[in-house]
PDB file of all heavy atoms in Angstrom:
ATOM      1  N   ARG G 113       5.133 112.712  12.478  1.00 77.00           N
ATOM      2  CA  ARG G 113       4.283 111.857  11.688  1.00 77.00           C
ATOM      3  C   ARG G 113       2.851 112.379  11.584  1.00 77.00           C
ATOM      4  O   ARG G 113       2.207 112.193  10.566  1.00 77.00           O
ATOM      5  CB  ARG G 113       4.249 110.483  12.342  1.00 77.00           C
ATOM      6  CG  ARG G 113       5.572 109.768  12.477  1.00 77.00           C
ATOM      7  CD  ARG G 113       6.198 109.369  11.178  1.00 77.00           C
ATOM      8  NE  ARG G 113       6.685 110.386  10.316  1.00 77.00           N
ATOM      9  CZ  ARG G 113       7.818 111.113  10.485  1.00 77.00           C
ATOM     10  NH1 ARG G 113       8.599 110.896  11.618  1.00 77.00           N
ATOM     11  NH2 ARG G 113       8.222 112.039   9.683  1.00 77.00           N
ATOM     12  N   ILE G 114       2.370 113.019  12.641  1.00 81.00           N
ATOM     13  CA  ILE G 114       1.013 113.619  12.601  1.00 81.00           C
ATOM     14  C   ILE G 114       0.981 114.682  11.558  1.00 81.00           C
ATOM     15  O   ILE G 114       0.067 114.806  10.745  1.00 81.00           O
ATOM     16  CB  ILE G 114       0.615 114.194  14.003  1.00 81.00           C
ATOM     17  CG1 ILE G 114       0.354 112.988  14.963  1.00 81.00           C
ATOM     18  CG2 ILE G 114      -0.578 115.095  13.892  1.00 81.00           C
ATOM     19  CD1 ILE G 114       0.089 113.474  16.362  1.00 81.00           C
ATOM     20  N   ILE G 115       2.058 115.574  11.502  1.00 78.00           N
ATOM     21  CA  ILE G 115       2.100 116.594  10.474  1.00 78.00           C
ATOM     22  C   ILE G 115       2.122 116.066   9.067  1.00 78.00           C
ATOM     23  O   ILE G 115       1.416 116.498   8.144  1.00 78.00           O
ATOM     24  CB  ILE G 115       3.362 117.487  10.718  1.00 78.00           C
ATOM     25  CG1 ILE G 115       3.223 118.306  12.023  1.00 78.00           C
ATOM     26  CG2 ILE G 115       3.548 118.467   9.510  1.00 78.00           C
ATOM     27  CD1 ILE G 115       4.451 119.017  12.440  1.00 78.00           C
ATOM     28  N   ASP G 116       2.885 114.972   8.884  1.00 76.00           N
ATOM     29  CA  ASP G 116       2.977 114.317   7.595  1.00 76.00           C
ATOM     30  C   ASP G 116       1.659 113.687   7.272  1.00 76.00           C
ATOM     31  O   ASP G 116       1.189 113.702   6.047  1.00 76.00           O
ATOM     32  CB  ASP G 116       4.062 113.265   7.525  1.00 76.00           C
ATOM     33  CG  ASP G 116       5.446 113.913   7.526  1.00 76.00           C
ATOM     34  OD1 ASP G 116       5.582 115.054   7.154  1.00 76.00           O
ATOM     35  OD2 ASP G 116       6.409 113.144   7.850  1.00 76.00           O
ATOM     36  N   ALA G 117       0.943 113.112   8.282  1.00 78.00           N
ATOM     37  CA  ALA G 117      -0.374 112.518   7.988  1.00 78.00           C
ATOM     38  C   ALA G 117      -1.370 113.540   7.575  1.00 78.00           C
ATOM     39  O   ALA G 117      -2.276 113.275   6.644  1.00 78.00           O
ATOM     40  CB  ALA G 117      -0.860 111.724   9.261  1.00 78.00           C
ATOM     41  N   VAL G 118      -1.410 114.651   8.255  1.00 80.00           N
ATOM     42  CA  VAL G 118      -2.320 115.718   7.912  1.00 80.00           C
ATOM     43  C   VAL G 118      -1.988 116.294   6.563  1.00 80.00           C
ATOM     44  O   VAL G 118      -2.926 116.511   5.677  1.00 80.00           O
ATOM     45  CB  VAL G 118      -2.327 116.838   8.990  1.00 80.00           C
ATOM     46  CG1 VAL G 118      -3.120 118.036   8.510  1.00 80.00           C
ATOM     47  CG2 VAL G 118      -2.798 116.333  10.310  1.00 80.00           C
ATOM     48  N   THR G 119      -0.704 116.492   6.235  1.00 77.00           N
ATOM     49  CA  THR G 119      -0.312 117.020   4.914  1.00 77.00           C
ATOM     50  C   THR G 119      -0.697 116.116   3.800  1.00 77.00           C
ATOM     51  O   THR G 119      -1.131 116.440   2.735  1.00 77.00           O
ATOM     52  CB  THR G 119       1.225 117.249   4.928  1.00 77.00           C
ATOM     53  OG1 THR G 119       1.551 118.083   5.953  1.00 77.00           O
ATOM     54  CG2 THR G 119       1.661 117.858   3.589  1.00 77.00           C
ATOM     55  N   ALA G 120      -0.586 114.737   4.089  1.00 76.00           N
ATOM     56  CA  ALA G 120      -0.938 113.767   3.093  1.00 76.00           C
ATOM     57  C   ALA G 120      -2.377 113.473   2.956  1.00 76.00           C
ATOM     58  O   ALA G 120      -2.882 112.715   2.091  1.00 76.00           O
ATOM     59  CB  ALA G 120      -0.194 112.442   3.328  1.00 76.00           C
ATOM     60  N   GLY G 121      -3.220 114.032   3.833  1.00 73.00           N
ATOM     61  CA  GLY G 121      -4.671 113.950   3.815  1.00 73.00           C
ATOM     62  C   GLY G 121      -5.260 112.666   4.414  1.00 73.00           C
ATOM     63  O   GLY G 121      -6.372 112.238   4.110  1.00 73.00           O
ATOM     64  N   HIS G 122      -4.491 112.046   5.351  1.00 76.00           N
ATOM     65  CA  HIS G 122      -4.999 110.888   6.030  1.00 76.00           C
ATOM     66  C   HIS G 122      -6.179 111.239   6.934  1.00 76.00           C
ATOM     67  O   HIS G 122      -6.306 112.379   7.401  1.00 76.00           O
ATOM     68  CB  HIS G 122      -3.921 110.170   6.842  1.00 76.00           C
ATOM     69  CG  HIS G 122      -2.844 109.567   6.005  1.00 76.00           C
ATOM     70  ND1 HIS G 122      -3.057 108.511   5.178  1.00 76.00           N
ATOM     71  CD2 HIS G 122      -1.499 109.933   5.804  1.00 76.00           C
ATOM     72  CE1 HIS G 122      -1.912 108.156   4.535  1.00 76.00           C
ATOM     73  NE2 HIS G 122      -0.993 109.065   4.938  1.00 76.00           N
ATOM     74  N   GLY G 123      -6.943 110.251   7.250  1.00 72.00           N
ATOM     75  CA  GLY G 123      -8.098 110.484   8.071  1.00 72.00           C
ATOM     76  C   GLY G 123      -7.829 110.786   9.535  1.00 72.00           C
ATOM     77  O   GLY G 123      -6.702 110.580  10.010  1.00 72.00           O
ATOM     78  N   ALA G 124      -8.934 111.139  10.266  1.00 79.00           N
ATOM     79  CA  ALA G 124      -8.788 111.485  11.656  1.00 79.00           C
ATOM     80  C   ALA G 124      -8.352 110.250  12.452  1.00 79.00           C
ATOM     81  O   ALA G 124      -7.702 110.386  13.518  1.00 79.00           O
ATOM     82  CB  ALA G 124     -10.109 112.044  12.203  1.00 79.00           C
ATOM     83  N   GLY G 125      -8.736 109.071  12.138  1.00 80.00           N
ATOM     84  CA  GLY G 125      -8.376 107.860  12.843  1.00 80.00           C
ATOM     85  C   GLY G 125      -6.880 107.673  13.012  1.00 80.00           C
ATOM     86  O   GLY G 125      -6.407 107.356  14.062  1.00 80.00           O
ATOM     87  N   ARG G 126      -6.121 107.908  11.911  1.00 79.00           N
ATOM     88  CA  ARG G 126      -4.676 107.796  12.019  1.00 79.00           C
ATOM     89  C   ARG G 126      -4.088 108.838  12.976  1.00 79.00           C
ATOM     90  O   ARG G 126      -3.237 108.570  13.755  1.00 79.00           O
ATOM     91  CB  ARG G 126      -4.046 107.890  10.679  1.00 79.00           C
ATOM     92  CG  ARG G 126      -2.552 107.821  10.659  1.00 79.00           C
ATOM     93  CD  ARG G 126      -1.990 107.783   9.192  1.00 79.00           C
ATOM     94  NE  ARG G 126      -0.551 107.770   9.200  1.00 79.00           N
ATOM     95  CZ  ARG G 126       0.257 106.748   9.400  1.00 79.00           C
ATOM     96  NH1 ARG G 126      -0.306 105.514   9.652  1.00 79.00           N
ATOM     97  NH2 ARG G 126       1.563 106.837   9.382  1.00 79.00           N
ATOM     98  N   VAL G 127      -4.637 110.061  12.845  1.00 79.00           N
ATOM     99  CA  VAL G 127      -4.132 111.128  13.742  1.00 79.00           C
ATOM    100  C   VAL G 127      -4.476 110.849  15.173  1.00 79.00           C
ATOM    101  O   VAL G 127      -3.626 111.090  16.062  1.00 79.00           O
ATOM    102  CB  VAL G 127      -4.789 112.499  13.267  1.00 79.00           C
ATOM    103  CG1 VAL G 127      -4.404 113.624  14.301  1.00 79.00           C
ATOM    104  CG2 VAL G 127      -4.357 112.899  11.886  1.00 79.00           C
ATOM    105  N   ASP G 128      -5.691 110.232  15.428  1.00 82.00           N
ATOM    106  CA  ASP G 128      -6.009 109.881  16.796  1.00 82.00           C
ATOM    107  C   ASP G 128      -5.119 108.840  17.367  1.00 82.00           C
ATOM    108  O   ASP G 128      -4.720 108.950  18.517  1.00 82.00           O
ATOM    109  CB  ASP G 128      -7.504 109.452  16.822  1.00 82.00           C
ATOM    110  CG  ASP G 128      -8.456 110.584  16.654  1.00 82.00           C
ATOM    111  OD1 ASP G 128      -7.988 111.740  16.752  1.00 82.00           O
ATOM    112  OD2 ASP G 128      -9.626 110.296  16.373  1.00 82.00           O
ATOM    113  N   ARG G 129      -4.766 107.839  16.588  1.00 84.00           N
ATOM    114  CA  ARG G 129      -3.923 106.811  17.020  1.00 84.00           C
ATOM    115  C   ARG G 129      -2.469 107.390  17.355  1.00 84.00           C
ATOM    116  O   ARG G 129      -1.875 106.951  18.335  1.00 84.00           O
ATOM    117  CB  ARG G 129      -3.807 105.670  16.021  1.00 84.00           C
ATOM    118  CG  ARG G 129      -5.112 104.843  15.928  1.00 84.00           C
ATOM    119  CD  ARG G 129      -4.858 103.570  15.100  1.00 84.00           C
ATOM    120  NE  ARG G 129      -4.458 103.915  13.721  1.00 84.00           N
ATOM    121  CZ  ARG G 129      -5.359 104.060  12.749  1.00 84.00           C
ATOM    122  NH1 ARG G 129      -6.677 104.010  12.998  1.00 84.00           N
ATOM    123  NH2 ARG G 129      -4.930 104.294  11.486  1.00 84.00           N
ATOM    124  N   LEU G 130      -2.010 108.230  16.467  1.00 83.00           N
ATOM    125  CA  LEU G 130      -0.709 108.854  16.734  1.00 83.00           C
ATOM    126  C   LEU G 130      -0.742 109.728  17.972  1.00 83.00           C
ATOM    127  O   LEU G 130       0.214 109.750  18.777  1.00 83.00           O
ATOM    128  CB  LEU G 130      -0.301 109.662  15.500  1.00 83.00           C
ATOM    129  CG  LEU G 130       0.099 108.868  14.223  1.00 83.00           C
ATOM    130  CD1 LEU G 130       0.300 109.774  13.041  1.00 83.00           C
ATOM    131  CD2 LEU G 130       1.419 108.039  14.550  1.00 83.00           C
ATOM    132  N   ALA G 131      -1.844 110.418  18.137  1.00 84.00           N
ATOM    133  CA  ALA G 131      -1.979 111.301  19.322  1.00 84.00           C
ATOM    134  C   ALA G 131      -2.018 110.446  20.601  1.00 84.00           C
ATOM    135  O   ALA G 131      -1.411 110.832  21.656  1.00 84.00           O
ATOM    136  CB  ALA G 131      -3.222 112.125  19.233  1.00 84.00           C
ATOM    137  N   LEU G 132      -2.701 109.248  20.519  1.00 88.00           N
ATOM    138  CA  LEU G 132      -2.720 108.403  21.679  1.00 88.00           C
ATOM    139  C   LEU G 132      -1.330 107.846  22.058  1.00 88.00           C
ATOM    140  O   LEU G 132      -0.923 107.771  23.189  1.00 88.00           O
ATOM    141  CB  LEU G 132      -3.696 107.202  21.419  1.00 88.00           C
ATOM    142  CG  LEU G 132      -3.831 106.173  22.584  1.00 88.00           C
ATOM    143  CD1 LEU G 132      -4.411 106.824  23.841  1.00 88.00           C
ATOM    144  CD2 LEU G 132      -4.696 104.985  22.068  1.00 88.00           C
ATOM    145  N   ALA G 133      -0.544 107.617  20.990  1.00 87.00           N
ATOM    146  CA  ALA G 133       0.818 107.144  21.167  1.00 87.00           C
ATOM    147  C   ALA G 133       1.675 108.214  21.876  1.00 87.00           C
ATOM    148  O   ALA G 133       2.553 107.958  22.691  1.00 87.00           O
ATOM    149  CB  ALA G 133       1.463 106.715  19.857  1.00 87.00           C
ATOM    150  N   VAL G 134       1.407 109.525  21.483  1.00 83.00           N
ATOM    151  CA  VAL G 134       2.080 110.651  22.091  1.00 83.00           C
ATOM    152  C   VAL G 134       1.812 110.655  23.604  1.00 83.00           C
ATOM    153  O   VAL G 134       2.684 110.831  24.468  1.00 83.00           O
ATOM    154  CB  VAL G 134       1.732 111.923  21.446  1.00 83.00           C
ATOM    155  CG1 VAL G 134       2.302 113.138  22.229  1.00 83.00           C
ATOM    156  CG2 VAL G 134       2.295 112.026  19.997  1.00 83.00           C
ATOM    157  N   LEU G 135       0.530 110.437  23.948  1.00 88.00           N
ATOM    158  CA  LEU G 135       0.111 110.423  25.358  1.00 88.00           C
ATOM    159  C   LEU G 135       0.765 109.288  26.132  1.00 88.00           C
ATOM    160  O   LEU G 135       1.253 109.474  27.201  1.00 88.00           O
ATOM    161  CB  LEU G 135      -1.464 110.311  25.440  1.00 88.00           C
ATOM    162  CG  LEU G 135      -2.025 110.286  26.864  1.00 88.00           C
ATOM    163  CD1 LEU G 135      -1.692 111.541  27.597  1.00 88.00           C
ATOM    164  CD2 LEU G 135      -3.534 109.974  26.800  1.00 88.00           C
ATOM    165  N   VAL G 136       0.829 108.134  25.516  1.00 89.00           N
ATOM    166  CA  VAL G 136       1.468 106.963  26.115  1.00 89.00           C
ATOM    167  C   VAL G 136       2.961 107.287  26.425  1.00 89.00           C
ATOM    168  O   VAL G 136       3.485 106.989  27.502  1.00 89.00           O
ATOM    169  CB  VAL G 136       1.328 105.695  25.247  1.00 89.00           C
ATOM    170  CG1 VAL G 136       2.218 104.579  25.833  1.00 89.00           C
ATOM    171  CG2 VAL G 136      -0.110 105.236  25.222  1.00 89.00           C
ATOM    172  N   CYS G 137       3.608 107.848  25.409  1.00 86.00           N
ATOM    173  CA  CYS G 137       5.046 108.253  25.614  1.00 86.00           C
ATOM    174  C   CYS G 137       5.198 109.230  26.743  1.00 86.00           C
ATOM    175  O   CYS G 137       6.131 109.126  27.532  1.00 86.00           O
ATOM    176  CB  CYS G 137       5.620 108.847  24.345  1.00 86.00           C
ATOM    177  SG  CYS G 137       5.848 107.615  23.031  1.00 86.00           S
ATOM    178  N   ALA G 138       4.318 110.246  26.828  1.00 86.00           N
ATOM    179  CA  ALA G 138       4.413 111.246  27.852  1.00 86.00           C
ATOM    180  C   ALA G 138       4.234 110.625  29.281  1.00 86.00           C
ATOM    181  O   ALA G 138       4.927 110.943  30.233  1.00 86.00           O
ATOM    182  CB  ALA G 138       3.381 112.329  27.648  1.00 86.00           C
ATOM    183  N   VAL G 139       3.175 109.729  29.376  1.00 90.00           N
ATOM    184  CA  VAL G 139       2.958 109.077  30.704  1.00 90.00           C
ATOM    185  C   VAL G 139       4.122 108.184  31.050  1.00 90.00           C
ATOM    186  O   VAL G 139       4.608 108.204  32.203  1.00 90.00           O
ATOM    187  CB  VAL G 139       1.643 108.201  30.588  1.00 90.00           C
ATOM    188  CG1 VAL G 139       1.527 107.390  31.915  1.00 90.00           C
ATOM    189  CG2 VAL G 139       0.426 109.150  30.441  1.00 90.00           C
ATOM    190  N   ALA G 140       4.706 107.463  30.075  1.00 89.00           N
ATOM    191  CA  ALA G 140       5.787 106.549  30.372  1.00 89.00           C
ATOM    192  C   ALA G 140       7.039 107.431  30.788  1.00 89.00           C
ATOM    193  O   ALA G 140       7.709 107.033  31.771  1.00 89.00           O
ATOM    194  CB  ALA G 140       6.168 105.690  29.158  1.00 89.00           C
TER     195      ALA G 140
END
């Protein structure tokens, strides 16, 4: 989803939220 967001030109905020979700998944 991060790759698609970057490809689609979404802002950094969406990428940061997705990255935070990745971190939560890794910790869990």
Side-chain angles (χ1 to χ4, degrees):
R113 301 291 71 76
I114 289 174
I115 292 172
D116 287 342
V118 172
T119 304
H122 292 291
R126 180 175 175 79
V127 173
D128 288 343
R129 288 193 297 274
L130 290 170
L132 180 61
V134 171
L135 178 62
V136 170
C137 288
V139 171

